[in-house]
Structure formats: structure tokens, C-alpha cells
Amino acid sequence: MRLNVAWQIIIGTVAIQVVMVAALLFSGITQVQQNQQEVLERTAEQQSRLLGSALTPGLAYADPAMLQDLLDLLGDDSNVLYAVVLDASERPMASVGVAPDTLPAAEAGVRSESGQVEIARQIELSGQSLGTVAVGYSTDAIDQLSTNLLERNVLLALGVLGLSILAAILFALMTTRRLRLLLQGGRALEAGQLDHRVRIDSRDEFGDLARTFNDMAAHLGTTQSTLLQQNLQLNRSVARLESMLGGANAILWEANPGNHEWEFVAGDTRKLLGFPSRNLGRGELRARHIHPDDLPRVRDAAREPGNEPKVVDYRFAHRNGQWIWLRDILSWAEGTGSPRSLRGLTLDVTAHRRATAALKESENRYQDVVNHISEVIFRTDAEGRWTLLNPAWESLTGFPVEETLGKPMCAFVDPEDQDDAQNFCDTLLEGGTHAQSEEIRLRTHDGSHRWVSIYASARFDEDGQIMATFGTMMDISDRKEAEEEIRRLAFFDGLTGLPNRTLLHDRLGQALANTARSRHHGAVLFIDLDNFKDINDTLGHAVGDDLLRQVARRMEDSVREADTLARLGGDEFVVILNDLHPDPARAATEAEAVGRKLINLLREPFELAGQNRHVTPSIGATLFSGHSLGVEEVLKQADLAMYRAKNAGRNTVRFYDPGLHRAVEARFELENELRHALDEDRFTIVYQPQVEADGRVIGAELLLRWPHPQRGAISPGEFIPIAEQTGLIVPIGRKVLRTACAQLAAWQHIAAFRELTLSVNISARQFRNKHFVQQLREILQETGAPGDRLKLELTESMLLEEIDTVVAHIDELRTLGVEFALDDFGTGYSSLAYLKQLPLAQLKIDQSFVRDVLDDPNDAAIAQMVVNLAHTLDLDVIAEGVETAEQRAFLFGLGCRHFQGFLYGYPGDLSDLERAVLGTSPAQQSAAQSPH
Ligand code: C2E
Ligand code: MG
Ligand code: MG
């Protein structure tokens, strides 16, 4: 039977109360009754004692009335049932009420019976018993009192009982109400209403319980919402994983590493493998579907645990009866507390495998093509270095592919095509164009070259930066040869291989255009072999052809690269000479020199048909400059000149212009005379003073003079170039140097002249001579001249070629103290770079600028520039050709401090110079001298 708490409290409380009240009542009443009995007995005792005292006189006097009175008094008390006084002999003396038959014994004290209390007392006087008094009291009053008390207590107990039941009910009601609220809370929680709160605000245990409950509910609420959230996410993740696995046609699984039984599978095994996962859960079931050839590999992979995931591809028999390729990616997971488990991701890689196989197949085909194609296929990186070449490369060039890779493309180009190849690469690699083609020569391993047609295109990344180039190269050497052959046939003479008439016309046209631009002269030499017809007729045409070939070879070797040797036909050859001197006479001389050279060249006998035969040419020459004449006219002039040569007795050169011819003749005459003059030591030397700003002579320049017996003095400007061309300048120059050194040595002993310097002009040809330094050293030693007093004047033209030799010579001579000046500065092509490189001491402002320095602003500017330059480079500067005081003042104003010129002295003999040095007013003195 179920009793709720309220009843339990009420029944419990009532039961306890009833027991408690009953006990209290019982003990209370019993106590009261006992107490009243005792009180009654004590009262009886006291009254009997008092009564005894009061009765003593009556007894002593045995006065019964007295005794009776006293007893009557006593008898007024309603509680007294009887009183009797007995004398010593126990006779009644007085009495009230009805005494019982047997009175209690005096010595027994109080006798209690139901309903009465009796007492007997002996009354003594002086130790002598007078009698006995016995009194009986009724207990009714006491009983009545007890009954009243009992009644009242029972009523009180009932009242208390009632109140306590009421209290129990109230308490039960209050407790159960709160318990009910808690119960409701519990039920609400049970029903999932986590927002339910128990409303008990009291500050007692119920309140605490309710608050704890509410806190718990709140906590549960947040926990539940977190859990819900997580659950949602988990569900989403699971759904996503499932959909990903489904999309990728893959499954994820975890298996027992012992028997490979799947313990967990995610993904659609039906879709992937054709079976539900439960049909394949056991390892051996799956193994039945794996291709027997692949099974060992799969087992191996799953057997060995490792830290790295393992990948194994294998064939699997799909339910649809086809083999599919699967890929397992296996890993071993360490479970916390549990043994390791095998985890796998299984993917369908059939399509991938097929694509790979197809790719491999296509790559093989591609490789096949690339390896066997005759064209070179290449790739380069963004810097133009080979990164891929097919074997055709080695067949083409002989360089192994492995040795070539990584090297720059241009490293394999024939030097002659380097520029084209560089342009090709630059254009492509700088992104100027996406595709380029070019025909170039590659050099091959054996040192020859092959023509290739190269086609390349560039690959760019997203930023437009070049990533690579790739292309092909085709061997077009055969085609080029054929083209060359065609060109040869079209432009070259079949017999000698020399340019034919067509090409000659072309080249001559170009030469005319060049001279128009450069102001230089060109020349045509028309060469005809003398008596060639005789050879042809006597020895046959084959020998004639042989002769023509031999003649062509000899002449070819002696013609400069810039010039053209052509065969017009028969025994006629033509030479075009370019870049001759702007001066016609000089140009004619140069042309004539070439003609003579050719004559000398052919002078040696030719071996023809086993015989030595002499052949002489007749050469006609003509100069051209600019477009005043056409090609044909120039050739015609040369042809005419050739006839003049024939008429003049053959084996000679003749010019179309008779005036020129005379000039050339005169020049040759001069050359001969120059040789004689040298042999006969007919050259003299004059000295022109060089002065300080204050006019003090500090040295002199040595200038050559050639007093000609017939023509008088010949200017060095005329004979020095001839001496240079013929090489005579070397011995002539040596003589001048020796004179200068001897003079310097002689001056060492004279205080006034000791400080003087001498400047000697040195020609290019002379200076470049490899013995020059040694010879000068010897001269200095032999004469004992101080090197530091000697100054060599070089011209700018000499710096144009072989600058290294020039610098080396200068450096070497400077160790001897010799100094260098740059003569005629400003007239040549001096590059400032040279100037920096050359350890010079002095610049000489050319007289051509000094001449018009006052009138021509350009000349003044140049003079100023030379002075500034000299100062910048820390060089001395001297102006030559100073004729007037105004020129001198102007130059002084520019910053020039050294001067040379007629103003200070004409070139004169040594004594003039020495006088000038010693003279107080050199300017006046030299002005007084007559011109030399
Ligand atoms: P250069 O070395 O520039 O010599 C200066 C030329 O200017 C000299 O001509 C000189 O006489 C002339 N001159 C000097 N002062 C004046 C002046 O105030 N007014 C004018 N109008 N001319 C003046 P020169 O003697 O006819 O020499 C011509 C060139 O021949 C020299 O030019 C030099 O290049 C060359 N030369 C002379 N002697 C030699 C030599 O021994 N060896 C070499 N290799 N060349 C020499
Ligand atoms: Mg000079
Ligand atoms: Mg000069």
C-alpha cells in the first residue's frame, strides 16, 4: 500500500502524540493519587498527634465529656468517618461516627484501606499510657479531586493531540506542496522541458534544493543545446563526408588488422564495388574479388604496419562482371587503449589508370616521333639555354645531347651568324614576338658548319613573363648549297670562281655610292693579260683555262678584303679598290701601287703544261669619287686606260686621266730620289723654338728638310707620306732621332742649354715598328742623351690601329724618361677614351685651329676645348702655328701657356736656336730672322 508523505507525517505524529499523552496522563494521575494518599496520611498523623495532645487532659482527668466535645469538634470534618478514644484499658471514652470493630493498632501507625485511612495513636503522659485515640478518615474527597484532575488532563491531552494533528497536517501540506513542485520539475526535466524552473524562493533546504535543481536544469539546457549544435555539425559532417565519398566514388573504412574485417565503413560500397558493405565486411570475402595477380601486393601492403600511409593499386571484380582498378591508401591508427586498427581509403582509379595508360601510349608515340624525326626539336629556358633536344641534334651537329643541355643556344652558332642568332634569341626572349624564324649556321663537332632553318615560339606565364621557348630546326644545308651554287653561277665566274661581270657591276655601284658618302676615292684597275691568245693557241684552251685560274689565285691573295677582284671574261680581270685617299694624287698613287704589285705578282713564271711560262699584264686604271660617273663609264675609262698601257709597251699601269698619270709618275720619281737622298744623307734638320708664356725658349721641335738639287727645298708634307708608304720613314726617322739625342747629349755640358727639350715627330709606321723601342734605347745609350729631355710627337691617326702596341711602346719608353705629345690634336678621330688610356704629357693644338682662332668661333671653341681637356687630364698644352701677338694673347686667355710658331721663331738651324735661347728677347730676335 502506498502512503504519501502527508499521511505518513500525520499518522506518525498522531501515534507519537497518543502514546506520549497516555503515558503522561497515566504517570500524572498515579503520581497525584500517591501524593494525595501521602498527604492524607501525613495529615492524619499530624491531626492524631494534635488530637492526642488535646485529648491528654481529658484522659488524664478521664473526663469523657471533654473528650466527647473534642471528638465532636473533629466530627464536624466531613472527611472524618469516625473517631474513638479508648482509655488505657481500651474502653471507649468518647466516640463520633461509627467505629469499626477492629481498630488499627496504635503501634502499627496509619492503616489505609480502600475508601478510608485509619490511624491509632497512644496518648502518653510522662511516659505513661493514658489511652488510645483512633480516627478514620474518608478518602472520597481525594478520590474526587483525582478524578477531576484526570478529567482535566485528558481534556488537555486531547486538545494537545488535536493541535498537533493540525500542525502535522499543515506541515504535511506545506512539505508536500514543495515536494510536488520539485516533482513537477523532475517530471518536466524528464519530459525534456529544460526551461522549466521550480518556483520555491524560501530560504530553507527546499529553497536550496529548488535552486540546485534550477541550476542543474539550466546547465542541462546549455549542455543540451551544445550537444544539439554538435550533433547538427556532426550530422552535417557525416552527410558531407558521405556525399564527398559518394562524389569521389570512394569509401573509407576501418578494419581489424588481424582478420581485416571491416569495423566501420563510410561511403557507398554498392556504388563503388557493386555490393553492400555487409557482403564484403570480412577480409576473405573481399580477397575473393581481388585479382589473383594483385592479391599478394594488397596483402603485403595491409600486413606491414608503418608510419607512412601505403598506397596499393589493384584490380577488383565488380558485381557487374568487370575488373575495376581500385587504389587503397592505408594507414594504421593507434587507438587509445585499443589495439592498432587498419584504416583505408578506397578509390576507383579505373579512369585515371586508363588515362595514364593512354598518356603513356601517346607519350611513347610522341617519343617515337621525336626520337626518329630528322628535324631537331628543342626547348630552351627563359635564358635561352637548351633544356630539351631530340637525338636529331647529335646527328646534325655531332654534339651529344647530354653535353649540350644547359648551354646557351647561341654557343652553337657559327661565329659569322652570331649577331643574327643573338638578335633572334633577344627578340624571342624579350617577348617582342611570339614566334620567330631564321636561317643560321650551326657549328658542328668536327669544326664545320650546317645551315639550319630555325623556327621557335615563346611560352609565357600568366604575368606575361617568358617561361620557355620551343621550336624546330631543319637541316637546310643542301638547299643552301644549291642556292649558293645558283648564286655562284649567277654571280661568279665558273672557271675561276671570281665574281663575274654581273656581280662586278653590283659591287662597283656600291663602291660609287660609298665614295659619294665618304669623300674617299675609289679606283678600277682593268687587267688584261698580254699575249694570252698565243698561249691559248699554242698550248690549247685547257692550259689557257689553267693559266687563268692560276692568275686569279695569285691576284686574289693580294687583294684586300674590302676590294673586289672580278673576271670579266676571256683574259680580262677587274679590281675595284675602295677607301683610297681623298686627295686624287694620293689616291692615284695608292691605286698605282696596287697595279705595280699585281705586275710584280705575275712576274713569277707560271707552270703550264709542264713548262714555265711568263705572263705580263697591261693594267688600265681610273679613279672615281661620287656619282659623277656611272658604272659603265668607269669601266669604259679603265678599259681605255688599259689600251694605253698596251700601247705603252705592256706590263705597265696607265691612268685614264693623263694628268693623274703624270702625278703618279712624278711621285715615283720622288720616291726614287728619296731613296738616293737617304743613301747620300741629303736630309737636313731645322729647329723651331717652343716658348713659355714669358717668351723664354724651353725647347724646340725638329723638322726635316730636303733640299732638292733641282726643285729646291721639298716640304716634308710632300715627302714624308711617300717615305711612310715606302717604309723609308724608318731609317729617315732614326736619323732625326739620333740627331736630336746627340744634340741633347751635347747640351748637357752647357748650362744654358741643359734644360732644353727637343721634340721629334714620329710616324705611325715608324712607331709601330717592333724594333723601335730597342733602337731608341740604343740611340740614347750610344749618345748618352738624357731621356727626359726628349719628347716624341705622335699623331692621332696612329691611335686608330694597334692601340695596344702603341700603349706598350709608350709605357716602355716612359721608363727611360721619354715624354709624349699628341700632335695636330683635334684634326683626327681621337676618342677621349684613348686619351685617358695614353700616358701622354702634352697636347698640341693644331695650327689649323690657331690660324683662324680670332675669326672662326668654331676654331676658338675647339682651342678652348683642347685647353680644358688638357687641364682636366692634367696634361701640358702647347699651341703651334702661332703667328701673331693677337693669336698668342687669345690663346693665353684660354689658358694656354706654351707656344710655337713664326711669332717666336721660324724653323732654323741649330745656331739660330741657340742664339734664341741665349738672346734676351727671343721674340724680337726670331722675328728678325729670315724665314727658312
Ligand atoms: P708638324 O709636326 O705639325 O710641324 C709643324 C709644322 O708647322 C711645320 O711644318 C712648321 O714649319 C710649321 N709651322 C711652325 N710654325 C708655324 C707658323 O707659325 N705658321 C705656319 N703656317 N706654319 C708653322 P713643316 O716643317 O712643313 O712640317 C710638316 C709636317 O711634316 C710636320 O707637321 C710633321 O708632321 C712632318 N714632319 C716634319 N719633320 C718630320 C720628321 O722628322 N719626322 C716625321 N715623321 N714627320 C716630320
Ligand atoms: Mg710636330
Ligand atoms: Mg703639328
Side-chain angles (χ1 to χ4, degrees), residues 754-826:
R754 197 173 289 149
E755 297 297 314
L756 294 176
T757 59
L758 286 179
S759 299
V760 177
N761 293 288
I762 306 291
S763 289
R765 186 155 181 185
Q766 193 185 353
F767 193 67
R768 282 206 208 99
N769 187 299
K770 60 178 191 268
H771 304 298
F772 179 77
V773 175
Q774 184 52 29
Q775 283 174 0
L776 181 54
R777 200 193 299 269
E778 284 168 11
I779 292 172
L780 284 169
Q781 272 171 7
E782 284 165 19
T783 55
D788 59 349
R789 304 282 100 195
L790 183 65
K791 195 178 280 171
L792 302 186
E793 291 191 5
L794 308 178
T795 53
E796 287 176 278
S797 57
M798 135 177 343
L799 307 178
L800 295 175
E801 285 168 38
E802 296 181 40
I803 179 81
D804 293 344
T805 319
V806 173
V807 173
H809 282 185
I810 293 179
D811 281 339
E812 227 174 318
L813 289 172
R814 271 164 55 91
T815 61
L816 305 174
V818 179
E819 286 195 335
F820 289 84
L822 200 55
D823 203 0
D824 307 344
F825 189 69

Side-chain angles (χ1 to χ4, degrees), residues 9 57 142 163 174 310 359 441 500 555 565 590 592 617 657 678 713 717 724 829 870 884 888 926:
I9 294 170
I142 293 173
L163 278 175
M174 249 166 67
K310 288 212 174 122
L359 195 69
R441 276 162 290 187
N500 61 12
M555 292 202 290
L565 169 65
E590 288 168 351
E592 216 264 350
D657 177 356
L678 178 67
E724 282 173 348
Y829 308 95
T884 66
R888 185 251 173 220
S926 54

